[in-house]
Amino acid sequence: MNVQQSSTDAVKDAEASLRQYSIISNLKHKNIIKMLHTYRQQTYNVIKNCAVNETVIVMEMCAADLNGLPENDRPIFYDLMQDVVSALKFMSENGQIHGDIKNGNILLKKDQSGKWMAIITDHAIFQHGGTPIFMAPEGLSKQTEKSDIYSLGITILFSALEIPFALELLYFPLRSGAKEASKFVETIPALKLIFSMIDPNPANRPDYGQILRELKQLSNNFTGERIGKSGNNVTFLNDVSNDAILEMNLNARKGLLEKWYTLHI
């Protein structure tokens, strides 16, 4: 049995973990995960067939991620999004970006009054990249605070809409025919906000202050119901509904992003 440690990989992993710990531990905000301490431990990597030293980061305990929000509590969804925007705004004001906003990196815990609050975690430590389906077009080159806004827009899209409908709408801002959907989007405030956040051009996306104001409006009288096709005129989707499943493929998503980036940047 090979028990030699892969020292190069171990050093890289340790450095990456410590960079993340250093960044997050200096960001004191109620909606940013609290880093408690770090320690090193040796484990066995089955894939590499060797022993490795890992850097473990101990964080505050949360109950679930955004996907685990109970259906009965969905009426507070836009309140949770305000928590996320508040944290991202604070990071931006302190010269930091998150770089990988998505449902799985938004954790939930209850405050002292028993109400759910959102906590962002797993900050990216690189200046480009991210999770492809959530990544802004410019993320292929360099992430900015506007990239975080794009990623949050995609997160809201998948949380506020019925999933099949969200998938069909997802690629419209990257298509030449995106204007066909504009009239429909204008009739639904949540979609109007989402589409402004996922505009392919970073300069056209709203700032955090604008987003907070819109989210506060959306939270008023929100019942938690997801937006779907039923009762809406979505004939503009007829041309793309057949290939929506194909475009779930991450390579297709990456291709669309690269094409837009080549043409516009």
Side-chain angles (χ1 to χ4, degrees):
M1 179 175 64
N2 177 16
V3 293
Q4 294 181 351
Q5 182 175 336
S6 176
S7 58
T8 302
D9 289 345
V11 170
K12 288 182 179 179
D13 290 345
E15 289 176 347
S17 296
L18 290 174
R19 283 200 300 273
Q20 187 182 62
Y21 177 81
S22 176
I23 292 171
I24 303 174
S25 61
N26 288 316
L27 293 170
K28 309 297 184 183
H29 189 279
K30 67 176 183 176
N31 301 116
I32 297 177
I33 196 77
K34 291 182 177 65
M35 297 293 195
L36 305 179
H37 65 92
T38 65
Y39 65 89
R40 298 276 283 167
Q41 70 176 16
Q42 189 176 79
T43 60
Y44 186 77
N45 188 311
V46 177
I47 297 176
K48 296 180 179 179
N49 191 32
C50 65
V52 296
N53 286 321
E54 294 182 336
T55 300
V56 179
I57 299 177
V58 181
M59 302 179 289
E60 66 176 307
M61 182 177 292
C62 293
D65 62 28
L66 186 60
N67 294 317
L69 180 67
E71 283 296 316
N72 290 342
D73 292 322
R74 275 189 54 81
I76 67 164
F77 170 72
Y78 289 115
D79 295 333
L80 297 175
M81 293 302 97
Q82 291 176 60
D83 288 346
V84 175
V85 172
S86 177
L88 292 175
K89 184 174 184 290
F90 176 81
M91 290 185 66
S92 177
E93 291 168 348
N94 284 273
Q96 298 292 334
I97 61 172
H98 185 282
D100 196 20
I101 287 292
K102 57 185 177 182
N103 298 55
N105 286 342
I106 299 172
L107 304 183
L108 303 175
K109 64 177 290 187
K110 290 194 174 181
D111 62 18
Q112 294 181 341
S113 67
K115 181 181 177 181
W116 288 114
M117 61 186 293
I119 309 287
I120 60 174
T121 187
D122 277 5
H123 306 55
I125 56 174
F126 304 107
Q127 292 186 332
H128 59 85
T131 303
I133 202 167
F134 294 88
M135 186 177 67
E138 71 276 8
L140 293 165
S141 174
K142 185 178 180 179
Q143 297 268 24
T144 69
E145 71 170 57
K146 292 289 189 175
S147 307
D148 281 342
I149 287 172
Y150 181 99
S151 298
L152 182 59
I154 297 293
T155 301
I156 297 173
L157 177 74
F158 279 109
S159 300
L161 276 65
E162 294 176 356
I163 299 301
F165 190 31
L167 286 169
E168 291 184 53
L169 286 176
L170 176 59
Y171 297 94
F172 258 98
L174 291 170
R175 290 176 174 275
S176 59
K179 293 181 179 179
E180 300 172 26
S182 61
K183 290 183 179 179
F184 171 71
V185 168
E186 290 291 324
T187 65
I188 301 179
L191 283 181
K192 185 176 180 180
L193 173 62
I194 291 168
F195 269 63
S196 70
M197 293 172 71
I198 64 174
D199 192 299
N201 187 342
N204 292 338
R205 296 172 202 156
D207 60 33
Y208 288 124
Q210 292 173 294
I211 296 169
L212 276 173
R213 289 191 291 272
E214 293 296 328
L215 289 172
K216 288 177 182 178
Q217 289 293 323
L218 289 172
S219 68
N220 294 331
N221 303 315
F222 180 59
T223 64
E225 183 179 0
R226 292 179 183 269
I227 301 169
K229 286 184 176 182
S230 179
N232 290 311
N233 181 8
V234 290
T235 54
F236 61 87
L237 286 173
N238 291 344
D239 294 337
V240 296
S241 60
N242 292 332
D243 64 2
I245 300 300
L246 292 177
E247 290 188 328
M248 288 174 61
N249 182 284
L250 294 184
N251 288 330
R253 170 68 173 172
K254 185 172 183 291
L256 281 171
L257 290 170
E258 289 177 338
K259 180 180 178 182
W260 188 93
Y261 190 81
T262 300
L263 293 173
H264 295 83
I265 300 297

